[in-house]
Amino acid sequence: MLSSLILLVGGVQAFFTTVEPKAETCFLESTTSGTKLTLTFEVAEGGFLDIDVSIFGPEGKSVYKGSRESSGKYAFSAYMDGEYHYCFSNGMSKMTSKVVMFNMDIGEGAAAAFEHGKDSIDKDHDKLAEQLGELRTALVSVKHDQEYMEVRDRTHSIINNSTNTRVVWWAFFEALVLLAMSLGQIYYLKRFFEVRRVV
């Protein structure tokens, strides 16, 4: 049973998408009523690392709407059967595209959990299955957090490399200016102490 739990957690993965300037990218999940859906996302690259996020239900009803968010986690239960759309909009940006890492975790529906409990022979098995479900949820959460930390690490590494490059070029420029000023001073002082003869 533990090996099946590890296989379930191993199958969870994050997706990356590029959202062009003044564009919106949408994805959908078909699900049944009572199913728990969790959208986690983080802007990995582009501009000020912000994006607009919206989630819509089957009837076009807004479930969640966020503006200029750099990362987030939003969980909700499906209120009816159908397709739930989640969209990332880069409408505020005129020139910069954004790279967004996201995943939609789909939990077990209320009806499926009820059926599972009804078919169970022993209460101990129910408790064990419940604890395994909680463990799976916790492991998936840890895996998502590790993926986000990897994205943050990469982003900070890019910023550090850029800053280091600028510091090196600035130090090189300062050395050139210092060398030019030293040569200028030597030339000026040499001319100042030069003896001029009038013939």
Side-chain angles (χ1 to χ4, degrees), residues 104-151:
M104 176 64 85
D105 186 35
I106 303 170
E108 192 173 293
F114 177 73
E115 287 298 320
H116 182 273
K118 192 168 86 172
D119 292 338
S120 185
I121 297 171
D122 194 16
K123 290 182 182 179
D124 291 336
H125 288 145
D126 286 346
K127 190 168 186 170
L128 180 62
E130 182 181 324
Q131 289 176 345
L132 281 175
E134 290 174 5
L135 182 60
R136 178 195 178 275
T137 303
L139 285 173
V140 167
S141 177
V142 167
K143 183 164 176 47
H144 291 325
D145 289 344
Q146 286 177 334
E147 289 168 348
Y148 291 131
M149 294 310 251
E150 183 180 327
V151 169

Side-chain angles (χ1 to χ4, degrees), residues 93-197:
S93 180
K94 295 179 182 175
M95 295 172 42
T96 308
S97 59
K98 310 279 175 76
V99 176
V100 180
M101 181 182 85
F102 70 95
N103 52 36
M104 176 64 85
D105 186 35
I106 303 170
E108 192 173 293
F114 177 73
E115 287 298 320
H116 182 273
K118 192 168 86 172
D119 292 338
S120 185
I121 297 171
D122 194 16
K123 290 182 182 179
D124 291 336
H125 288 145
D126 286 346
K127 190 168 186 170
L128 180 62
E130 182 181 324
Q131 289 176 345
L132 281 175
E134 290 174 5
L135 182 60
R136 178 195 178 275
T137 303
L139 285 173
V140 167
S141 177
V142 167
K143 183 164 176 47
H144 291 325
D145 289 344
Q146 286 177 334
E147 289 168 348
Y148 291 131
M149 294 310 251
E150 183 180 327
V151 169
R152 286 184 178 162
D153 182 54
R154 185 174 32 165
T155 302
H156 292 303
S157 175
I158 290 168
I159 291 170
N160 285 340
N161 288 339
S162 173
T163 304
N164 287 340
T165 303
R166 290 178 186 169
V167 167
V168 167
W169 282 110
W170 181 252
F172 182 70
F173 174 73
E174 283 182 329
L176 287 178
V177 168
L178 188 60
L179 182 65
M181 287 180 64
S182 298
L183 291 175
Q185 286 179 348
I186 290 170
Y187 176 74
Y188 178 75
L189 288 173
K190 190 175 180 182
R191 281 190 58 215
F192 184 73
F193 289 111
E194 215 174 60
V195 177
R196 295 184 185 163
R197 292 184 186 175

Side-chain angles (χ1 to χ4, degrees), residues 51-126:
I51 197 117
D52 296 337
V53 181
S54 54
I55 302 173
F56 298 100
E59 299 172 332
K61 179 183 172 187
S62 179
V63 176
Y64 175 76
K65 194 169 202 109
S67 178
R68 295 184 179 254
E69 296 183 11
S70 59
S71 65
K73 182 174 186 177
Y74 184 74
F76 65 98
S77 293
Y79 61 89
M80 67 181 293
D81 294 356
E83 294 180 344
Y84 287 78
H85 297 261
Y86 48 102
C87 302
F88 302 104
S89 173
N90 194 12
M92 81 290 272
S93 180
K94 295 179 182 175
M95 295 172 42
T96 308
S97 59
K98 310 279 175 76
V99 176
V100 180
M101 181 182 85
F102 70 95
N103 52 36
M104 176 64 85
D105 186 35
I106 303 170
E108 192 173 293
F114 177 73
E115 287 298 320
H116 182 273
K118 192 168 86 172
D119 292 338
S120 185
I121 297 171
D122 194 16
K123 290 182 182 179
D124 291 336
H125 288 145
D126 286 346

